[in-house]
């Protein structure tokens, strides 16, 4: 007997899990479109040099090469291609290639698989689905786009709450605040300080203070000031007052604080409680130029960020025109994996079928097929029993699949049975419909079904 060894990091959901994933994806797409984002798709591969241009290491990129290609053969150049590890790099290329045919500001969403060769663990996969939104400008991009993006994400999760998804907190920071503050302290290694601050949750303030002094040239007083800045959170103008109380003042810091306050106050009016300033957020600040976002599920913070992003002043550039952008990416697979492993959301049934049409005997199968065709023609998902077994066995067949109704064809009258309640009534396939809640599988919070 051949034993199949599973490949870690490449999730394959059972039908019930796939139903949950599909409901999540449909909710995300619907919300994006409500806000005017247009859907695009890009190719799965990009030139290796393009993939490495955003700071990813070569260890994380899967190289694409034809199996029989050898040096000197036609097709050997395929070795210079790799599977994309996110959707930002291909989107930047897409903008440059299509700039003359796009209307700016361009609002796009993209839901596709990406591949990343890192060690699989909880919430981290080698193949996974991302759902991105970005707003891109031609030369300039107004600040209100930095408010709109996290607001849209907050609305996505408000709608996902109907599926049982916990609420989220979108933690925001601003590159200008961090850079202006560190430079005001006299620290020149801004990116290095950011990398050290990013380790706060993992190693704690004492070890981060030591890193700042040993690796980033900070004095003990400067290191403490960096930690004091990182401790500040809030949802109103009070965050600016608390930062300025630390005794540092630069034009760049003032600009960043103004933007940060405007962001949290505007978001607070539109999606109350969802967005909070958190000045310890440092991941990604070394390549973002304005607002930066990280999102956690309330009660599942140990999972890490399930949605992140920020503003690039140069998402793409052709040497003549620069295209600034701001966006966020939802880790759909990470989210769905938690919904399934923690039994947060469930599908009402694993198959789409609402009605199983019974088969009396092999000669009457065409009659059962005709009933199913009538039901499908009216938008009712129907299947026909695979064999003319005893009706009890056909009912068990439906029950194992969660199919709520079994249809019994007759020469003069038809019967349909709700196998959950046992109720059975006469019905006409040209007129009968199941209740709306039974028509298609529904995904709800698991606690609603317990």
């Amino acid at each position: 007997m051949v034993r199949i060894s599973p490949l870690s990091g490449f999730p394959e959901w059972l039908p019930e899990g796939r139903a949950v994933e599909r409901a999540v994806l449909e909710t995300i797409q619907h919300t994006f479109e409500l806000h005017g984002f247009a859907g695009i798709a890009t190719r799965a591969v990009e030139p290796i040099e393009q993939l490495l241009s955003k700071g990813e290491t070569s260890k994380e990129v899967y190289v694409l090469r034809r199996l029989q290609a050898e040096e000197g053969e036609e097709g050997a150049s395929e070795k210079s291609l790799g599977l994309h590890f996110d959707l930002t790099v291909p989107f930047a290329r897409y903008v440059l290639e299509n700039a003359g045919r796009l209307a700016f500001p361009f609002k796009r969403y993209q839901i596709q698989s990406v591949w990343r060769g890192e060690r699989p663990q909880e919430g981290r996969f080698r193949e996974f689905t991302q759902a991105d939104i970005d707003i891109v400008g031609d030369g300039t991009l107004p600040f209100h786009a930095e408010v709109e993006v996290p607001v849209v994400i907050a609305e996505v999760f408000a709608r996902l709450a109907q599926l049982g998804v916990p609420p989220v907190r979108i933690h925001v920071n601003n590159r200008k605040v961090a850079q202006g503050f560190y430079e005001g302290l006299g620290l020149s290694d801004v990116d290095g300080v950011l990398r050290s601050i990013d380790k706060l949750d993992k190693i704690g303030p004492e070890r981060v203070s030591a890193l700042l002094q040993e690796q980033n040239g900070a004095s003990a007083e400067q290191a403490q000031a960096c930690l004091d800045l990182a401790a500040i959170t809030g949802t109103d103008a009070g965050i600016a007052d608390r930062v300025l109380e630390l005794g540092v003042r630069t034009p760049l810091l003032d600009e960043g604080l103004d933007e940060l306050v405007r962001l949290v106050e505007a978001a607070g009016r539109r999606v109350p409680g969802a967005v909070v300033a958190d000045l310890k957020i440092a991941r990604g600040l070394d390549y973002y130029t304005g607002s930066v976002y990280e999102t956690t599920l309330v009660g599942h913070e140990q999972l890490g960020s399930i949605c992140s992003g920020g503003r690039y002043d140069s998402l793409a550039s052709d040497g003549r025109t620069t295209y600034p952008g701001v966006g966020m990416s939802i880790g759909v697979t990470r989210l769905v994996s938690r919904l399934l492993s923690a039994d947060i959301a469930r599908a009402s049934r694993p198959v789409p079928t609402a009605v199983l049409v019974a088969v009396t005997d092999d000669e009457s199968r065409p009659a059962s097929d005709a009933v199913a065709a009538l039901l499908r023609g009216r938008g009712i998902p129907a299947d026909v029993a695979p064999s003319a077994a005893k009706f009890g066995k056909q009912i068990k067949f439906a029950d194992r699949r969660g199919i709520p109704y079994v249809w019994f064809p007759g020469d003069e009258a038809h019967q349909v049975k709700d196998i959950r309640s046992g109720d059975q009534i006469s019905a006409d396939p040209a007129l009968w419909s199941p209740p709306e809640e039974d028509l298609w599988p529904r995904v709800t919070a698991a606690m609603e079904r317990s």
Side-chain angles (χ1 to χ4, degrees):
M1 178 179 178
V2 177
R3 298 189 64 180
I4 298 176
S5 299
L7 289 176
S8 62
F10 298 89
E12 295 177 326
W13 315 126
L14 292 173
E16 298 92 327
R18 175 56 181 157
V20 172
E21 182 185 46
R22 186 169 58 248
V24 169
L25 290 170
E26 289 173 352
T27 301
I28 292 172
Q29 177 176 332
H30 179 66
T31 309
F32 287 170
E33 292 182 348
L34 284 175
H35 284 266
F37 289 81
I40 69 165
T42 57
R43 65 197 186 205
V45 298
E46 297 291 336
I48 291 293
E49 61 270 19
Q50 288 283 83
L51 293 173
L52 300 183
S53 66
K54 295 298 183 181
E56 289 292 316
T57 68
S58 58
K59 293 181 180 179
E60 294 179 330
V61 176
Y62 282 106
V63 175
L64 183 72
R65 183 172 182 265
R66 188 166 57 85
L67 181 63
Q68 298 299 324
E70 297 180 0
E71 293 294 338
E73 283 189 6
E74 182 181 358
S77 61
E78 292 173 358
K79 290 189 295 184
S80 64
L81 299 177
L83 294 171
H84 57 223
F85 58 81
D86 73 358
L87 299 179
T88 301
V89 171
F91 178 53
R93 186 262 312 158
Y94 179 94
V95 169
L96 290 177
E97 289 187 2
N98 296 284
R101 293 174 287 180
L102 298 175
F104 293 96
F106 177 50
K107 299 171 67 173
R108 87 76 158 92
Y109 77 84
Q110 190 170 348
I111 303 175
Q112 284 184 239
S113 292
V114 300
W115 295 266
R116 192 169 299 178
E118 59 183 359
R119 184 172 65 87
Q121 53 188 297
E122 184 181 13
R124 290 187 178 275
F125 303 92
R126 290 172 173 170
E127 179 181 17
F128 52 98
T129 300
Q130 288 189 181
D132 286 23
I133 54 169
D134 282 89
I135 305 175
V136 181
D138 181 353
T140 61
L141 184 68
F143 174 75
H144 63 74
E146 296 180 48
V147 178
E148 180 176 359
V149 166
V151 165
V152 173
I153 295 298
E155 291 192 13
V156 165
F157 282 92
R159 292 173 182 273
L160 287 174
Q162 300 173 10
L163 309 182
V165 178
V168 295
R169 292 292 178 271
I170 302 175
H171 304 264
V172 301
N173 198 355
N174 192 295
R175 164 79 188 210
K176 297 170 187 175
V177 172
Q179 182 171 343
F181 186 86
Y182 300 151
E183 291 176 348
L185 283 176
L187 298 173
S188 57
D189 184 12
V190 172
D191 289 348
V193 173
L194 290 170
R195 286 191 291 272
S196 295
I197 292 295
D198 189 39
K199 297 179 172 66
L200 263 173
D201 288 339
K202 292 182 180 179
I203 66 176
E206 290 187 6
R207 293 180 62 186
V208 167
S209 177
L211 282 178
L212 291 169
Q213 296 175 64
E214 295 167 4
Q215 299 183 8
N216 310 127
S219 66
E221 292 76 14
Q222 289 172 323
Q224 185 58 52
C226 293
L227 293 174
D228 291 340
L229 178 71
I232 295 174
T233 64
T235 57
D236 56 32
I239 55 174
D241 296 334
R242 293 171 61 192
V243 172
L244 296 178
E245 286 172 1
L246 298 178
V248 177
R249 196 76 181 259
T250 67
L252 186 61
L253 174 60
D254 287 346
E255 181 181 347
L257 285 174
D258 176 67
E259 291 181 356
L260 187 58
V261 169
R262 288 164 58 195
L263 168 56
V264 296
E265 291 190 335
R269 290 190 292 270
R270 297 176 62 179
V271 284
V275 177
V276 58
D278 185 347
L279 274 64
K280 74 173 181 296
I281 299 299
R283 187 183 70 178
L285 279 177
D286 55 341
Y287 50 85
Y288 290 119
T289 55
S291 299
V292 64
Y293 322 100
E294 287 191 4
T295 307
T296 55
L297 281 178
V298 175
H300 301 265
E301 289 80 4
Q302 73 280 8
L303 186 63
S305 180
I306 56 166
C307 178
S308 62
R311 170 155 183 161
Y312 295 91
D313 275 341
S314 182
L315 174 73
S317 177
D318 59 9
R320 299 184 305 274
T321 304
T322 296
Y323 300 92
V326 58
M328 293 183 73
S329 174
I330 301 174
V332 176
T333 305
R334 174 177 287 197
L335 173 62
V336 172
S337 70
R338 176 51 61 98
L339 298 181
L340 299 179
S341 65
D343 196 24
I344 294 172
R346 297 181 193 171
S348 57
R349 59 182 186 262
V351 298
T353 310
V355 182
L356 179 74
V357 182
V359 178
T360 304
D361 50 47
D362 290 338
E363 289 72 22
S364 65
R365 177 170 289 276
S368 296
D369 289 337
V371 170
L374 277 173
L375 293 171
R376 293 178 194 132
R378 297 175 47 239
I380 301 170
D383 200 358
V384 178
S387 68
K390 293 181 179 180
F391 282 161
K393 289 186 176 181
Q394 296 187 53
I395 291 172
K396 287 182 179 179
F397 177 90
D399 185 51
R400 285 196 299 268
R401 288 156 180 77
I403 300 171
Y405 296 94
V406 174
W407 192 284
F408 301 104
D411 293 334
E412 297 181 1
H414 297 258
Q415 298 279 314
V416 63
K417 181 183 185 72
D418 183 336
I419 64 174
R420 299 161 300 182
S421 65
D423 295 339
Q424 185 167 322
I425 60 172
S426 298
D428 183 341
L431 299 174
W432 178 88
S433 294
E436 183 67 28
E437 62 269 20
D438 289 334
L439 184 58
W440 294 99
R442 294 177 299 115
V443 173
T444 58
M447 65 181 64
E448 294 181 14
R449 298 177 54 79
S450 59

